[in-house]
Amino acid sequence: MRNRSISLEERLKQAVSTEKVEETKVITKIDNICISEDENENKYLIEKTIEVLNIQSKASLELGKIFNEVSEKVKDESYCKWLEINGFNRTTAFRHRRRHSLYEEVSHKDGKEIIALCGYRDIDKIFQSEDRENYINILNAGNINLKEFRNLLNGNLLENKLNKQNSIVNINFENYSNFFTNFSEKVNSLDDEKKILLEKYLKKIEELWK
């Protein structure tokens, strides 16, 4: 049992080492921090926050991996005693295991980052929900941020989000081709107010091509 304890300590040291965190960052971006009037201070605090979050998330994921490995290898009674020897209770270990399992289940980089940033309550909601598979699909699509995902977990927005992801937009552009026939003449025939409005919408159309 002592050998297992040493192994656990060594793996955690590797998981939270600065060098390893830099090589394999789990979290790369967070919301802006604006607690200082000095922008350089805010940028510095963001960098340090990302470092802290990476250390925490890497440790949690590594612990979850270890706990899953041990729970699958030994009897339940031995597993619980082993947790006690290493200073963990079963509930805490279970939360780490769930995070690691979800992290492995999600394939998209941004989705993995959301799992790493989620609180334990968020992780529990995903596991306990009948829509777990849909949540995973949304994370794998990679077009949602942490705040939006938490809104999904805490509200009734999942169906709308899935509908938007799965919907196919069909537009018959032939219906609009006539708009560009003799375009200059049509523009010249507009009054100043309509020209200004037209320019506004044309700029929006231009942004779509970028």
Side-chain angles (χ1 to χ4, degrees):
M1 191 64 69
R2 177 60 181 165
N3 289 336
R4 286 180 181 172
S5 179
I6 293 173
S7 175
L8 176 58
E9 290 174 5
E10 290 301 318
R11 290 176 70 169
L12 281 179
K13 285 179 182 178
Q14 293 177 4
V16 301
S17 67
T18 303
E19 183 178 356
K20 188 170 183 180
V21 168
E22 287 300 318
E23 289 178 357
T24 56
K25 282 187 176 181
V26 176
I27 297 165
T28 58
K29 56 184 178 298
I30 59 170
D31 292 336
N32 287 332
I33 294 177
C34 298
I35 61 177
S36 172
E37 295 181 358
D38 188 333
E39 273 304 307
N40 289 328
E41 277 193 3
N42 288 328
K43 289 180 181 179
Y44 174 77
L45 292 173
I46 290 174
E47 291 174 2
K48 288 303 175 183
T49 299
I50 291 175
E51 286 183 23
V52 170
L53 290 174
N54 268 291
I55 289 172
Q56 291 175 333
S57 60
K58 288 287 290 181
S60 178
L61 291 168
E62 183 66 16
L63 283 169
K65 179 181 179 182
I66 294 170
F67 293 150
N68 278 328
E69 290 173 350
V70 176
S71 66
E72 293 172 0
K73 191 76 172 179
V74 303
K75 295 178 181 178
D76 190 59
E77 184 179 353
S78 299
Y79 171 68
C80 291
K81 290 180 178 178
W82 176 81
L83 287 176
E84 291 180 11
I85 290 173
N86 286 285
F88 292 94
N89 62 55
R90 190 166 186 173
T91 300
T92 300
F94 192 57
R95 287 171 171 172
H96 290 304
R97 288 173 60 186
R98 279 184 163 182
R99 184 187 302 279
H100 178 263
S101 296
L102 282 176
Y103 188 82
E104 291 296 300
E105 198 170 342
V106 175
S107 58
H108 195 282
K109 179 178 69 67
D110 292 342
K112 283 181 173 291
E113 188 165 331
I114 289 175
I115 292 298
L117 285 168
C118 274
Y120 290 123
R121 289 183 180 180
D122 297 329
I123 298 295
D124 288 342
K125 283 181 181 179
I126 299 171
F127 259 88
Q128 295 167 5
S129 173
E130 295 179 355
D131 294 313
R132 175 181 168 181
E133 185 176 348
N134 288 329
Y135 287 131
I136 298 298
N137 290 337
I138 288 172
L139 290 170
N140 281 332
N143 59 354
I144 191 170
N145 58 39
L146 178 62
K147 183 177 180 180
E148 292 171 337
F149 186 67
R150 279 179 169 160
N151 285 337
L152 288 180
L153 290 176
N154 297 323
N156 299 314
L157 307 174
L158 179 59
E159 186 176 348
N160 290 338
K161 181 67 179 177
L162 287 171
N163 288 338
K164 287 181 181 180
Q165 280 193 185
N166 297 327
S167 63
I168 300 175
V169 179
N170 292 314
I171 300 176
N172 186 355
F173 290 100
E174 292 181 358
N175 294 334
Y176 302 97
S177 60
N178 292 332
F179 289 163
F180 299 98
T181 303
N182 300 322
F183 184 73
S184 296
E185 294 178 11
K186 291 178 179 178
V187 171
N188 290 331
S189 66
L190 298 175
D191 58 37
D192 291 342
E193 185 177 348
K194 289 183 178 180
K195 285 180 180 179
I196 292 173
L197 187 62
L198 176 62
E199 184 182 22
K200 174 183 174 182
Y201 288 121
L202 286 175
K203 285 182 178 179
K204 287 187 176 181
I205 293 173
E206 184 181 15
E207 291 176 358
L208 294 175
W209 309 138
K210 296 179 180 178

